[in-house]
DNA sequence: ATGGCTTAGTTCCTAAGA
């Protein structure tokens, strides 16, 4: 089965691209981020017409996450993370589908840094880590899939210098990501492409796509029970080059 | 040489993204 994470950067603007992707790739499970739509404007009918059941956690204007399942409706386990009741950002949706536990994650960007947005990013990371530890303790096949807004290693970026001051590459961001991995999660893309150079995001600006000036920030973290079933992981890079594309490309794992 | 772009909402500008 193919499980995808895809930051669509506005599901309304991206709907033709998304429907096309579903038809061409027929992924089994798709985690979406940056819906940028409220719950009542999510295009559920179009998704259903494409053959997918869906759960979504929307927000007007920005954020918003969803999980789609081919020929099935995901069963909701949680929306939002504990630990900060006043946080109203829609960034976490956890479901169960076909015996798999799946979370769609949109971690805060954290720019500008330093400042309250960067502090929020680190707090959100801690809250995610608490949930992730509980998920591991259940010893089930589990996938944390999403836009983590972290460039884990220097070779995950086209230019260390260009990103040096960015929140995505700060030591604190990387340390938080490493602490998460150290719980026992497998970074599937890293495992399959251990020397880096695999990008999931190319900025709209400065001809980044044309120069292949990208970086890797969309990640799929597998519990040991899911990692045992991993057969492949990669990026459907070609979709970044299409008309009115998202600035992210679909990123995926195959599990037995 | 991340400067430039794109999306959505409060639209003919602003906020947010990364």
């Amino acid at each position: 089965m193919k499980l995808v994470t895809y930051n669509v950067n506005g599901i309304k603007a991206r709907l033709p691209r998304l429907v096309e992707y579903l038809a061409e790739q027929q992924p089994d499970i798709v985690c979406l981020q940056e819906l940028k739509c409220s719950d009542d404007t999510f295009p559920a009918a179009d998704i259903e017409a494409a053959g997918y059941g869906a759960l979504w956690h929307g927000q007007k204007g920005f954020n918003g996450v969803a999980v789609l399942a081919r020929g099935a409706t995901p069963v909701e386990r949680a929306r939002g993370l504990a630990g900060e009741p006043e946080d109203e950002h829609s960034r976490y949706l956890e479901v169960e589908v076909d015996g798999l536990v799946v979370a769609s994650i949109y971690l805060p960007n954290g720019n500008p840094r330093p400042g309250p947005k960067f502090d929020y990013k680190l707090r959100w990371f801690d809250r995610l880590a608490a949930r992730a530890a509980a998920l591991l303790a259940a010893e089930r096949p589990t996938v944390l899939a999403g836009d983590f807004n972290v460039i884990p290693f220097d070779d995950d970026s086209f230019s260390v210098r260009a990103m040096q001051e960015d929140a995505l590459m700060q030591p604190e961001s990387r340390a938080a990501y490493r602490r998460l991995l150290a719980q026992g999660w497998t970074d599937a893309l890293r495992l399959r492409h251990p020397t880096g150079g695999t990008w999931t995001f190319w900025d709209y600006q400065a001809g980044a796509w044309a120069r292949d000036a990208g970086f890797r920030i969309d990640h799929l973290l597998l519990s040991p029970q899911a990692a045992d079933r991993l057969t492949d992981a990669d990026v459907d890079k070609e979709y970044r080059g299409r008309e009115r594309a998202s600035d992210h490309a679909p990123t995926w794992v195959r599990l037995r």
Side-chain angles (χ1 to χ4, degrees):
Chain A
M1 59 98 66
K2 182 172 182 174
L3 190 159
V4 181
T5 182
Y6 188 14
N7 179 324
V8 290
N9 186 17
I11 195 166
K12 193 182 293 181
R14 215 65 61 212
L15 194 56
R17 276 289 82 80
L18 176 62
V19 168
E20 173 184 76
Y21 181 77
L22 297 177
E24 291 177 2
Q25 298 296 324
Q26 306 204 357
D28 297 282
I29 300 174
V30 184
C31 296
L32 302 176
Q33 300 87 34
E34 281 209 270
L35 303 176
K36 298 188 176 182
C37 73
S38 57
D39 278 338
D40 56 353
T41 57
F42 182 83
D46 299 274
I47 302 291
E48 190 178 353
Y52 287 77
L55 284 176
W56 59 94
H57 182 25
Q59 184 174 352
K60 191 174 166 183
F62 68 124
N63 301 325
V65 288
V67 182
L68 319 184
R70 190 154 66 99
T73 300
V75 177
E76 181 166 333
R77 289 172 52 101
R79 59 178 62 207
L81 290 169
E84 201 164 320
E86 65 278 20
D87 181 7
E88 292 181 344
H89 287 200
S90 299
R91 297 180 176 277
Y92 185 87
L93 181 62
E94 183 186 303
V95 310
E96 177 161 348
V97 54
D98 202 18
L100 205 62
V101 177
V102 179
S104 182
I105 290 168
Y106 180 44
L107 214 130
N109 172 292
N111 284 305
R113 170 209 67 92
K117 290 192 174 183
F118 190 64
D119 297 341
Y120 172 60
K121 175 179 194 152
L122 298 181
R123 289 201 309 278
W124 205 93
F125 235 131
D126 284 343
R127 293 163 60 201
L128 175 62
R131 182 65 187 168
L135 290 173
L136 278 184
E139 299 187 348
R140 296 192 54 192
T142 304
V143 182
L144 308 180
D147 176 358
F148 284 71
N149 270 314
V150 175
I151 298 169
F153 298 93
D154 284 354
D155 60 13
D156 287 318
S157 171
F158 74 103
S159 164
V160 168
R161 217 177 107 193
M163 300 304 293
Q164 197 77 58
E165 299 306 314
D166 198 284
L168 277 55
M169 235 178 68
Q170 291 315 297
E172 296 95 326
S173 307
R174 287 181 163 181
Y177 187 75
R178 300 235 199 300
R179 281 198 297 276
L180 196 57
L181 291 185
Q183 291 181 348
W185 298 94
T186 295
D187 178 337
L189 266 286
R190 188 75 194 175
L191 186 67
R192 298 290 299 188
H193 308 274
T195 58
T198 299
W199 318 141
T200 68
F201 170 90
W202 296 257
D203 203 299
Y204 289 126
Q205 303 187 60
W209 169 247
R211 294 188 291 130
D212 197 27
F215 37 86
R216 186 175 75 99
I217 52 175
D218 299 278
H219 306 308
L220 295 127
L221 272 43
L222 312 186
S223 72
Q225 296 75 17
D228 282 346
R229 294 161 57 174
L230 177 67
T231 59
D232 202 2
D234 213 334
V235 180
D236 284 328
K237 179 176 177 177
E238 180 237 324
Y239 289 84
R240 175 62 182 83
R242 295 199 184 184
E243 200 71 26
R244 289 203 81 193
S246 169
D247 40 8
H248 297 250
T251 304
W252 53 265
V253 291
R254 277 192 196 283
L255 304 177
R256 273 192 295 274

